Structures are given as structure tokens and as C-alpha cells.
Amino acid sequence: MFHLQKATQVTSEDELVRLAELYSYPPRSSTDPDDGAPFVRANMVSSIDGAVTVDGRSGGLGGPGDKAVFRVLRGLADVVLVGAGTATTEGYGQPAPDDALAAVRRSLGQAPAPALALVSRSLSIPPDFEPVSHENTVVLTCSSAPADRRRALLDAGATLVDCGDDAVSTAAILEHCGVRGWSRVLCEGGPSLLGSLVAADAVDELCLTTSPHLVGGIAGRIAVTDEGAAVLRALHPASIMTDDDGFVFTRWVRDGRPSTR
């Protein structure tokens, strides 16, 4: 059990680097048959009773310590993988370089900031959504996506990649990440995208923030799937932290995978 102080005490460069060491991605093993596959980490937040949103957004569940962990996880990733609906609802911007973690990224041979990969089957993304036209953003979709929406996004400067025909394939997403050299993948949801990764047995690590609140209502879970039976995917706890505000931060790692870099 580790203790994380209030964010005013966690945002110093030394504390962020300490967190980066705790959350570092594992090394590649020369004996691992999946060595070339990206390592997929998910970062999610829920209330004590399992709600993932308040008034339709996850931001209401967060706190200062959660924001510090969120910052560090982005600072370690090659790409932020997120459902387009989540990105637009939560008001995403383009991931930017973080001076506090710049040296860590340089030591790993990473670009100054992670890329952004938006996943959308329907392409119902506003063409004026700011990250769409950025050179470090890619929209992962499927070839059956509506032609008019595809054209509108292309006209806005978006980079579109088809990862399947009638649906966006999880395997194709990860294959594209590998082609791009994005070996450290950070999935930030939403629940449907995470559910597809769980169904494909593609989640290597889950970083879960438990907000010290009860929500009730009809909010969903951190991972859902539209089709197919529920599955059991075994993970084991790699670390548990609390902070002065009552949040709990856990890291769950797939059995058989190393938990540190």
C-alpha cells in the first residue's frame, strides 16, 4: 500500500517522476512470443458503487490525485486510444508535451507527446472537433462508415484508417498501433471500447481509480459489450495507493505479464 498526498504535493517534478517509475511499462522479453504486440494499459475511474459517470461525464468522479495519475499515464504512453464519443463528450484536446516527464520520454526514445487515436464506427465526430486535424491524431474506423461523414472529416484534415469492414476490429487496431511503433498503448475508454478490448483478451493492465462517492442512478460500468457472453479475464493487483482525499488507485496486471519496466 502506498500513500499519495494531495495534488498540491504531487505535481512537483520529483513526485511525478516517482509516479512514473511506479507506473512504468514492462520491458520487452526476448522469449515472449507476443513481444512484438503493443502493451495495452487501460485507465478508468468509477465510484464506490461502480458508476462511471456523473451527469453523463466521468470528470465529475475525478479529483486532484486522479488528475496527477492521469497526467503520468499519458506521459508514459506512445498513443492515447479512446472512443470518439468519449473524447467529444469529455472535451478532449490534443495530448501535449509535459515538461515534467520530458526526460523520461527521451530516455525511452519516445516522441515529445503521445499520439491520439480516436475509434469510431459511425464517424459521428464533429469535423470542427479540434484534435481531428492534428498531425498526431488518427481516426480508426471501418470501410462501411457513412461516406458523407468520411468526406466531411477528410475535408477537415483528418487522417482516417479503416480497421475492418462492417465494424472496427480490435485486432486491426492493435496491428495498426504496432505498425506505427506505438508499443505503449493507453486506453482511456469509453466502456464500449474497453469492453471490446476485454472481449478480445487484449487488456494487459487496468489502472482503476475508485472515487470515494456513492452515485446510484443508472450510470454504466467501466466495460460493456453489445454482443456475446460475459468472460472472465484474470488479473492480479500490482499496486494500491490512496490519497488524502480518499481516492484509491489500483493497478491490475494480466497474469503472466511483468508489472514493472
Side-chain angles (χ1 to χ4, degrees), residues 11 25 30 47 97-98 111 125 153 194 207 210 221 225 243 247:
T11 53
Y25 281 80
S30 59
S47 67
D98 189 329
I125 307 170
L153 288 170
L194 180 56
C207 297
T210 302
R221 301 163 45 201
T225 51
D243 68 6
F247 287 77

Side-chain angles (χ1 to χ4, degrees), residues 176-253:
H176 184 73
C177 287
V179 169
R180 290 263 188 157
W182 297 334
S183 62
R184 305 172 185 90
V185 176
L186 174 63
C187 174
E188 293 181 348
S192 294
L193 177 57
L194 180 56
S196 68
L197 291 170
V198 171
D201 197 19
V203 177
D204 295 302
E205 178 178 315
L206 172 65
C207 297
L208 179 63
T209 295
T210 302
S211 177
H213 301 95
L214 294 170
V215 173
I218 59 172
R221 301 163 45 201
I222 66 169
V224 297
T225 51
D226 294 332
E227 300 178 359
V231 295
L232 289 175
R233 305 296 189 200
L235 290 87
H236 64 268
S239 66
I240 303 173
M241 294 190 298
T242 62
D243 68 6
D244 290 347
D245 296 313
F247 287 77
V248 179
F249 310 92
T250 53
R251 287 178 60 229
W252 297 87
V253 180

Side-chain angles (χ1 to χ4, degrees), residues 70-190:
F70 178 91
R71 178 179 174 184
V72 166
L73 295 184
R74 280 200 165 192
L76 294 172
D78 294 324
V79 61
V80 175
L81 180 70
V82 62
T86 294
T88 54
T89 298
E90 300 289 341
Y92 269 47
Q94 187 68 29
D98 189 329
D99 290 343
L101 299 169
V104 175
R105 295 188 69 86
R106 284 195 301 270
S107 71
L108 296 171
Q110 293 176 290
L116 179 63
L118 303 173
V119 180
S120 177
R121 181 181 182 275
S122 66
L123 290 183
S124 54
I125 307 170
D128 61 353
F129 182 51
E130 186 175 352
V132 158
S133 60
H134 197 281
E135 62 181 358
N136 289 331
T137 291
V138 61
V139 179
L140 305 178
T141 186
C142 57
S143 57
S144 63
D148 57 337
R149 294 177 181 175
R150 180 185 296 270
R151 175 49 54 190
L153 288 170
L154 290 172
D155 289 345
T159 299
L160 273 59
V161 176
D162 288 334
C163 293
D165 296 325
D166 297 325
V168 184
S169 162
T170 300
I173 288 174
L174 298 182
E175 181 180 359
H176 184 73
C177 287
V179 169
R180 290 263 188 157
W182 297 334
S183 62
R184 305 172 185 90
V185 176
L186 174 63
C187 174
E188 293 181 348

